[in-house]
Amino acid sequence: APQKVCRLLSPILRSKYPAISEEEQEISVPLQILCLAILDAIFIHILSASGPDVWEDLRKTLCDTLIHNKASRTCDIIAQSYDDT
């Protein structure tokens, strides 16, 4: 079954980072979501500022590179990195 993305985030635990307070631990997931939303807003602003004509081509290139051709691109990088010739 599909899972909500927010359920994939885990809290920042005091047991791992003793310097944080109980309150910081409690709000760590909402703060992570806020930071991701801010990052998304920055990306959208940059892409919108680059112009609507540029954005669609850039989006397609990013999707092709990062999603659609990810496995083959990863194999290419590994093959080139460890090429003995």
Side-chain angles (χ1 to χ4, degrees):
Q3 188 176 17
K4 291 183 178 182
V5 174
C6 62
R7 300 283 180 226
L8 300 174
L9 298 173
S10 57
I12 299 171
L13 303 174
R14 286 190 71 204
S15 58
K16 185 171 183 180
Y17 300 101
I20 68 169
S21 67
E22 283 288 329
E23 181 184 17
E24 290 169 325
Q25 178 178 305
E26 289 176 20
I27 64 170
S28 63
V29 171
L31 284 176
Q32 291 176 65
I33 293 170
L34 176 63
C35 289
L36 290 170
I38 292 168
L39 183 62
D40 281 350
I42 291 168
F43 287 154
I44 295 298
H45 172 73
I46 290 169
L47 294 172
S48 295
S50 67
D53 297 334
V54 175
W55 159 236
E56 184 55 33
D57 290 338
L58 183 57
R59 184 198 65 76
K60 184 180 181 322
T61 301
L62 288 171
C63 285
D64 288 345
T65 303
L66 299 174
I67 299 169
H68 301 292
N69 299 324
K70 181 179 178 181
S72 63
R73 184 70 183 124
T74 302
C75 291
D76 290 344
I77 291 170
I78 291 171
Q80 291 172 4
S81 297
Y82 295 99
D83 189 14
D84 290 338
T85 59

